[in-house]
Amino acid sequence: MAIRNHIITLKKGEQVFEAGDEADCAYIVELGIVGLYSKHFKDSRIASLGRGELLGEMGVINNEARTVSAFAETDIELLVIDKEQITKRLQNSDPIIRGVMDLLLRRIRNLLNNDAYKGLVMDDENIVVTEGVHKIRFEKELFQAFDDNEIINVYQPIVNLKDGSIAGFEALSRWQHPEKGMVSPFEFITLAEESDFIIPMGLKIFDSACKQLTVFQQIRNKSNPLLPALFMSINVSAAQLKAKSFLDEIKKITKKYHIDPNDIKIEITESQVVDYKKVLTWIDECNAFGFKLSLDDFGTGYSGFLHLLELDFHTIKIDQAFIKSIDTKPKSMVILEVIADMAKRLDMTVIAEGIEDKNSADKLTQIGVDYGQGYYFFKPMKVEKLLTILR
Ligand code: C2E
Ligand code: CA
Ligand code: CA
């Protein structure tokens, strides 16, 4: 995929594309005015597009030549949208939507080729697809941020509740945006999951988490050689599990850094393994290699117990919701006790996340939860800060 935050500039009067050209990309107008012209209307202007508007998408969507010609009416700046940014989404969309889209485009093409309908076509009124344009721009920014190393990992320590020592970390990704500050993974991971971009991004996240673990482990070996090796929990989403090469790649990364796969926990969110049959082989292969699998957000999905029955997870990560309500809902303590007891009998490890106060930490320790994670102990931190804590 040719991924570049690609802005092109054209002088007034220059041509963007010509009717009949191959449609290899689309554009968003960033600056100035672009005029669209059709031969069939005696070369008259059928639309003029300003900032934030999309052009050249038609040919890209149904893989046909340009129907109209586009010229810079003023000096202009255009953001180039890769064909795959659009086609990938269409491939993933509902077949009915795809069908309707195809039909509409054919109708528009027919209109553009028919003089009699000139009055009906666009004129100076443009279809503004603001939300889609915003998303595509944000996606372009994300591609660039990735190339510029603005996507980084922060690490949140996970504490052994029995003795209070740091047992491991969860790698959480952040986008250090030059203007917006830290962008939440909820925003950009979801976006990356919509395209294949989650694959290269996920591998880079995995790679830097592994590299970091070797540093953390070295420090621990010097300062506290008797404690068990530190582990690293890394989030992996369903879109990554589906990619054939992903598992091979993460095995390679683990070997490259000479990391014991037992020290890597792969966190998969419960709601994403709804179709357990699809992830069964993946999970078996992970276990065979030595990775430990952790069922994230336990208790929030549709079939948590079915997952435990059918898939070999090593760790249960109890969702924050149960921990947050320890003081307000008596039921939550019962649920937590049952999960802790069940995990012990299934020979599984339990991590409780979202622990924000001493009272919750104490109660979770009493009922035998192995590990705790939350603001009460540590917030997610940048590496520099963590290194001083570890030392
Ligand atoms: P998650 O895996 O459930 O991660 C735990 C979230 O809870 C993190 O949010 C963490 O900062 C937050 N948290 C930790 N302790 C506390 C606490 O005491 N109180 C409260 N209120 N929150 C706490 P974050 O970092 O914003 O991540 C959000 C989600 O984004 C993650 O939820 C995970 O699903 C996803 N995510 C983050 N990094 C990655 C990644 O590298 N790859 C993938 N696929 N997903 C990621
Ligand atoms: Ca997680
Ligand atoms: Ca979680």
Side-chain angles (χ1 to χ4, degrees):
M1 197 166 18
I3 302 163
R4 284 278 161 258
N5 194 6
H6 197 173
I7 299 265
I8 58 168
T9 53
L10 292 176
K11 289 259 173 279
K12 183 179 171 181
E14 283 186 297
Q15 189 171 48
V16 185
F17 54 75
E18 189 170 4
D21 281 356
E22 187 199 341
D24 47 5
C25 65
Y27 306 90
I28 294 172
V29 183
E30 290 291 352
L31 196 79
I33 304 287
V34 176
L36 298 184
Y37 292 81
S38 166
K39 273 200 196 103
H40 301 279
F41 303 139
K42 301 177 190 72
D43 278 335
S44 64
R45 190 172 75 183
I46 56 163
S48 66
L49 308 176
R51 183 172 161 74
E53 287 180 296
L54 194 61
L55 73 141
E57 78 291 350
M58 273 175 60
V60 167
I61 293 171
N62 58 4
N63 221 348
E64 287 183 35
R66 306 280 190 205
T67 334
V68 296
S69 303
F71 287 92
E73 307 270 303
T74 63
D75 289 355
I76 56 167
E77 273 182 28
L78 300 175
L79 176 66
V80 182
I81 304 169
D82 304 312
K83 199 169 184 167
E84 302 86 72
Q85 277 189 281
I86 297 175
T87 50
K88 182 74 199 164
R89 286 206 162 74
L90 279 176
Q91 280 158 18
N92 291 336
S93 72
D94 189 303
I96 296 178
I97 304 286
R98 276 202 312 264
V100 171
M101 178 81 102
D102 206 49
L103 183 78
L104 284 174
L105 283 179
R106 260 186 285 139
R107 282 196 190 146
I108 293 175
R109 277 177 190 279
N110 283 341
L111 284 175
L112 286 170
N113 290 332
N114 186 342
D115 274 346
Y117 285 99
K118 179 183 180 334
L120 287 178
V121 186
M122 294 186 273
D123 246 351
D124 272 19
E125 256 183 87
N126 309 311
I127 315 150
V128 184
V129 276
T130 324
E131 205 180 311
V133 165
H134 171 77
K135 204 166 174 181
I136 283 175
R137 235 194 233 135
F138 191 48
E139 190 172 62
K140 273 282 178 188
E141 268 189 75
L142 179 61
F143 293 164
Q144 189 64 39
F146 179 76
D147 286 349
D148 293 348
N149 294 317
E150 283 174 17
I151 309 291
I152 58 152
N153 285 348
V154 292
Y155 299 91
Q156 186 174 31
I158 297 174
V159 171
N160 184 334
L161 289 176
K162 285 181 201 84
D163 60 13
S165 65
I166 293 178
F169 307 89
E170 178 171 6
L172 294 160
S173 55
R174 296 285 181 271
W175 176 358
Q176 283 187 300
H177 196 285
E179 287 128 40
K180 292 183 192 143
M182 288 284 194
V183 181
S184 152
F186 284 122
E187 276 187 69
F188 68 87
I189 296 278
T190 322
L191 189 65
E193 281 169 356
E194 287 178 16
S195 65
D196 285 341
F197 196 57
I198 189 68
I199 307 301
M201 192 160 94
L203 286 174
K204 199 160 167 185
I205 291 168
F206 198 95
D207 189 287
S208 52
C210 285
K211 191 172 175 187
Q212 201 51 59
L213 179 64
T214 60
V215 177
F216 291 155
Q217 287 185 334
Q218 273 168 17
I219 297 176
R220 165 59 67 84
N221 283 345
K222 275 190 202 140
S223 65
N224 240 326
L226 295 178
L227 286 174
L230 290 165
F231 64 80
M232 182 64 78
S233 293
I234 304 171
N235 293 287
V236 164
S237 60
Q240 291 166 276
L241 305 188
K242 275 188 244 153
K244 285 202 178 63
S245 61
F246 185 70
L247 186 57
D248 288 339
E249 294 294 334
I250 61 175
K251 285 183 189 172
K252 263 188 227 159
I253 295 170
T254 315
K255 283 181 193 150
K256 177 172 81 177
Y257 292 113
H258 308 288
I259 287 176
D260 180 349
N262 276 284
D263 297 339
I264 300 289
K265 281 188 199 281
I266 295 184
E267 294 199 1
I268 304 175
T269 300
E270 190 186 72
S271 60
Q272 297 195 328
V273 275
V274 173
D275 193 351
Y276 65 84
K277 285 188 198 100
K278 284 197 181 141
V279 290
L280 192 75
T281 17
W282 201 91
I283 287 187
D284 285 349
E285 279 181 47
C286 269
N287 280 322
F289 186 69
F291 287 138
K292 290 181 175 161
L293 286 146
S294 176
L295 190 53
D296 203 356
D297 303 336
F298 185 78
T300 59
Y302 297 107
S303 52
F305 290 104
L306 196 56
H307 294 146
L308 290 185
L309 179 67
E310 299 291 349
L311 305 169
D312 286 327
F313 280 95
H314 173 275
T315 300
I316 292 177
K317 203 157 182 192
I318 310 173
D319 191 69
Q320 317 198 354
F322 299 96
I323 285 92
K324 293 254 156 57
S325 55
I326 283 182
D327 289 322
T328 52
K329 294 190 182 130
K331 274 195 258 180
S332 58
M333 235 11 245
V334 178
I335 294 173
L336 287 165
E337 275 178 46
V338 170
I339 297 176
D341 185 46
M342 175 188 70
K344 214 167 279 159
R345 295 171 62 179
L346 291 174
D347 204 17
M348 295 176 83
T349 302
V350 183
I351 304 180
E353 68 177 331
I355 303 177
E356 293 186 351
D357 54 69
K358 183 174 187 317
N359 178 45
S360 308
D362 289 346
K363 284 189 171 160
L364 290 161
T365 312
Q366 272 162 28
I367 62 169
V369 169
D370 306 285
Y371 301 108
Q373 180 183 353
Y375 299 165
Y376 170 64
F377 302 109
F378 300 100
K379 290 202 162 168
M381 284 176 278
K382 286 195 181 173
V383 172
E384 302 74 42
K385 203 169 166 195
L386 253 174
L387 290 177
T388 52
I389 290 177
L390 273 179
R391 281 185 186 118

